[in-house]
Amino acid sequence: MAGLPQLTAGICARLANSENEDSEELFNSQPTLQLLSFKKVPPTGGGNNVDRYRVIVSDGEHFLQSMLATQLNHLVEEDAISKGAVAVIEKFTCNIVQGKRLLIILALRVLVKTAEKIGSPGSLQGRPEGGASTPAAVTPGPSTSTNATPAPPPVAAAQPARQQTQANRNARAPAVYPIESLSPYQNNWTIKARAMNKSDIRTWVNQRGEGKLFSVTLMDESGEIRATAFNAAVDLFYDKIQEGKVYLVSKAKVNLAKKKFSNVNNEYELTFERNTEVEECLDVTDVPTVKFNFVQISALQDVAKDATCDIIGVVKEVGELSTITSKATSKVIPKRELTVVDRSGYSVRVTLWGKQAEQFEATDQPVIAFKGAKVGDFQGRSLSMMSSSSMHVNPDIPEAHALRGWFDAAGAEQTFQAHTSTFTGGGGITFDRAEVRNLNEVKTAEFGMSDKPEYFCAQATIMHIKNDNISYPACPTQGCGKKVVELGDSWRCEKCDKSYPKPQHRYMVSMAVSDYSGQAWLSGFNDVGQTIFGMSADELVDIRERDDTQYNQVIERAIGNTYNFACRAKQDSYNETTRVRYAINRIIPLNYREEAKYLANILTHSDWAR
């Protein structure tokens, strides 16, 4: 055994009976142990898909059951440690699970990757019911003995039969459990965590009555967990818990997490009850402000739809505050869209909702870190904030300082590639130059002739615009847009059940476009009209009513311009005649710099270039 690190003798016995000594000194020690075996434990349910590793540790005299914290999984999976490894356990705690003491390893430093078993470790004798067997005080020291040292005789001091926890081993102050170690099998625990992502108070009404709730994410260095308060607990804790502050939390109920309502990476969640204790902690040592796992904006295409991710970028554009009407509740919900860019050369649209959208006023192009944003694929990759997401403006982190310097020095003048220039089939379409089809190919391939709509991209020039029916009178209510009917001196919207003094006109454009291969008729709505005419439909209708000559000039100026189109092809029946209609999902003015780069790239990789 020469050359092997020395193990800390007697530490397994001390840990197994740690309620009988000063836990602060014990749990601040950094024992050297051998890791005899590893066993993967599959997820236990609750929507969590993270494996755990059970480890048998030895001090050369005894062995003890333990678990690796999930943040250490990579050591096993990357083969940094294996059977027989010797390591310094830099941070750990103990739990009682099904009457047995379980060591939770939170941090370790590998000394030897693999080695033969040191000594002849044996199992620790279980404690008899109604008492505890405690070894005599053992001075921690090295051991490379090949013979097991017998444990000293038990002390005949009976203790009440109870499940001791780390929280009551030290009478001077409650020892703190890591969030990683919480489970429904424990009753007495205290965590020290920072409050993050505190939601608004939400209410509900159903057949069983009505109620209210709010949720908050609690985070420490080992992980995070979602906590929810209902009804009376909302009154107790909503004002008391302030986002960003650190709290000591105990006596909350631990349940399996409902992943339908949470994206927090923990198989459990907490429920605050009347007897839950929440106390602000001024000692914020070892409690991180927030943990990010940033993804570059250019890499969002590789993130699955509906997954959550963290990004950091500079807000290049801030959209106007608008509203939508929820189909489920008919409530009007404020929204605002931000265009965020980073050093990867890409931009992404981030949607804020509710109070976050209303209160956002940043106009100085701040750096913002978004945590837990939901990935969407409508018109390309986009991000949407959820109740469990958080937004941190100008955070004091290295990534933010680097982005600020880059943007101020060069990024502000840079052209960015939007994710709306990537092609996706199915329910939505965006533009991709590599997927462009000529108009003749679209027709000969019979796009739109199947039962389901089909999608294609094209680059074409406007040749003719029907100017006799270019708009329709629409409801001016934000988010409605339905056609209104003139009744006397007012305009009536049947959907909103309201009358208005005047409508808001919206474009309904039909135009012929052509490329080198042929021609096709495309139809589009308000966004299309605003792009090709450069003004609102109300403005163009006003010009038509005042001056036909000027109106015709506006139409003529739009003809001859080339755009990138993302279109949908679908069969339509009219007067017993079936035809295919091509609707414009998105129209994008040409960016000649990007077009030139694309053509140059084709030339560079062509046979001619070789």
Side-chain angles (χ1 to χ4, degrees), residues 297-301 316-317 338-342 344-349 378-382 414-423 430-433 586 588-589 591 594 597:
I297 294 176
S298 62
L300 286 176
Q301 198 63 38
K316 192 169 177 63
E317 296 176 8
L338 311 179
T339 300
V340 179
V341 300
D342 70 4
S344 68
Y346 272 72
S347 67
V348 67
R349 186 177 71 255
F378 177 70
Q379 296 182 344
R381 279 293 184 264
S382 60
Q414 184 174 330
T415 300
F416 295 91
Q417 174 71 54
H419 272 287
T420 52
S421 63
T422 55
F423 177 87
T430 55
F431 185 81
D432 183 358
R433 293 175 190 83
R586 189 168 181 83
I588 307 168
N591 182 321
E594 291 184 7
K597 285 170 61 178

Side-chain angles (χ1 to χ4, degrees), residues 302-462:
D302 300 325
V303 181
K305 178 182 179 294
D306 295 330
T308 59
C309 68
D310 306 343
I311 70 159
I312 185 169
V314 180
V315 177
K316 192 169 177 63
E317 296 176 8
V318 180
E320 295 294 326
L321 182 67
S322 60
T323 60
I324 64 167
T325 302
S326 169
K327 293 181 179 179
T329 64
S330 298
K331 288 184 178 180
V332 176
I333 304 172
K335 64 174 287 192
R336 188 190 300 271
E337 292 185 347
L338 311 179
T339 300
V340 179
V341 300
D342 70 4
R343 300 177 73 169
S344 68
Y346 272 72
S347 67
V348 67
R349 186 177 71 255
V350 182
T351 304
L352 312 182
W353 303 95
K355 289 184 179 179
Q356 201 171 54
E358 293 175 325
Q359 296 171 359
F360 187 86
E361 296 180 350
T363 57
D364 55 348
Q365 295 185 313
V367 176
I368 299 185
F370 299 90
K371 181 171 179 61
K374 184 178 180 180
V375 178
D377 66 353
F378 177 70
Q379 296 182 344
R381 279 293 184 264
S382 60
L383 297 175
S384 180
M385 299 295 282
M386 303 187 296
S387 60
S388 57
S389 307
S390 61
M391 182 174 70
H392 306 266
V393 180
N394 294 322
D396 187 14
I397 57 177
E399 294 91 340
H401 301 315
L403 272 175
R404 181 81 276 159
W406 157 77
F407 189 79
D408 292 344
E413 304 301 323
Q414 184 174 330
T415 300
F416 295 91
Q417 174 71 54
H419 272 287
T420 52
S421 63
T422 55
F423 177 87
T424 61
I429 183 173
T430 55
F431 185 81
D432 183 358
R433 293 175 190 83
E435 297 289 340
V436 168
R437 297 177 181 270
N438 65 59
L439 297 178
N440 182 60
E441 183 184 359
V442 169
K443 293 180 178 180
T444 56
E446 297 186 339
F447 270 63
M449 294 297 288
S450 62
D451 293 336
K452 295 182 179 180
E454 295 180 277
Y455 301 87
F456 66 92
C457 296
Q459 187 176 99
T461 302
I462 299 174

Side-chain angles (χ1 to χ4, degrees), residues 260-307:
K260 178 181 177 181
F261 305 109
S262 172
N263 63 347
V264 174
N265 185 24
N266 197 318
E267 61 184 300
Y268 301 117
E269 63 185 11
L270 301 180
T271 301
F272 287 165
E273 300 177 318
R274 288 178 179 270
N275 64 333
T276 297
E277 295 179 2
V278 177
E279 180 183 341
E280 185 177 352
C281 179
L282 301 180
D283 177 15
V284 298
T285 307
D286 298 329
V287 182
T289 51
V290 67
K291 289 183 177 182
F292 293 105
N293 184 20
F294 291 125
V295 174
Q296 283 199 324
I297 294 176
S298 62
L300 286 176
Q301 198 63 38
D302 300 325
V303 181
K305 178 182 179 294
D306 295 330

Side-chain angles (χ1 to χ4, degrees), residues 76-89:
V76 180
E77 293 162 355
E78 296 170 4
D79 200 30
I81 54 175
S82 58
K83 183 177 179 180
V86 179
V88 176
I89 312 302

Side-chain angles (χ1 to χ4, degrees), residues 361-592:
E361 296 180 350
T363 57
D364 55 348
Q365 295 185 313
V367 176
I368 299 185
F370 299 90
K371 181 171 179 61
K374 184 178 180 180
V375 178
D377 66 353
F378 177 70
Q379 296 182 344
R381 279 293 184 264
S382 60
L383 297 175
S384 180
M385 299 295 282
M386 303 187 296
S387 60
S388 57
S389 307
S390 61
M391 182 174 70
H392 306 266
V393 180
N394 294 322
D396 187 14
I397 57 177
E399 294 91 340
H401 301 315
L403 272 175
R404 181 81 276 159
W406 157 77
F407 189 79
D408 292 344
E413 304 301 323
Q414 184 174 330
T415 300
F416 295 91
Q417 174 71 54
H419 272 287
T420 52
S421 63
T422 55
F423 177 87
T424 61
I429 183 173
T430 55
F431 185 81
D432 183 358
R433 293 175 190 83
E435 297 289 340
V436 168
R437 297 177 181 270
N438 65 59
L439 297 178
N440 182 60
E441 183 184 359
V442 169
K443 293 180 178 180
T444 56
E446 297 186 339
F447 270 63
M449 294 297 288
S450 62
D451 293 336
K452 295 182 179 180
E454 295 180 277
Y455 301 87
F456 66 92
C457 296
Q459 187 176 99
T461 302
I462 299 174
M463 305 303 293
H464 176 74
I465 299 173
K466 287 185 177 180
N467 62 1
D468 55 342
N469 187 22
I470 208 164
S471 69
Y472 69 95
C475 175
T477 299
Q478 196 83 27
C480 180
K482 293 293 184 180
K483 187 175 181 179
V484 293
V485 180
E486 188 174 13
L487 296 174
D489 295 331
S490 63
W491 296 79
R492 178 75 176 170
C493 176
E494 295 299 332
K495 178 185 176 183
C496 298
D497 195 22
K498 291 181 180 179
S499 296
Y500 304 92
K502 65 177 183 177
Q504 180 186 64
H505 284 270
R506 295 177 65 85
Y507 283 112
M508 185 173 58
V509 182
S510 179
M511 57 188 177
V513 302
S514 68
D515 62 10
Y516 68 90
S517 69
Q519 177 177 296
W521 281 92
L522 307 182
S523 62
F525 290 94
N526 208 50
D527 291 344
V528 174
Q530 289 180 336
T531 299
I532 64 176
F533 296 122
M535 63 181 71
S536 69
D538 279 331
E539 292 174 300
L540 189 55
V541 169
D542 182 60
I543 291 173
R544 183 179 62 187
E545 292 175 351
R546 288 187 292 102
D547 188 339
D548 281 344
T549 301
Q550 185 182 358
Y551 173 72
N552 289 329
Q553 289 174 346
V554 173
I555 300 295
E556 289 172 4
R557 282 199 301 269
I559 294 173
N561 295 318
T562 302
Y563 295 92
N564 289 324
F565 295 96
C567 301
R568 183 185 72 163
K570 190 176 187 301
Q571 283 190 25
D572 182 30
S573 295
Y574 182 73
N575 287 338
E576 298 183 356
T577 301
T578 299
R579 60 180 179 176
V580 177
R581 297 189 62 179
Y582 304 122
I584 302 170
N585 277 28
R586 189 168 181 83
I587 181 171
I588 307 168
L590 294 189
N591 182 321
Y592 289 101

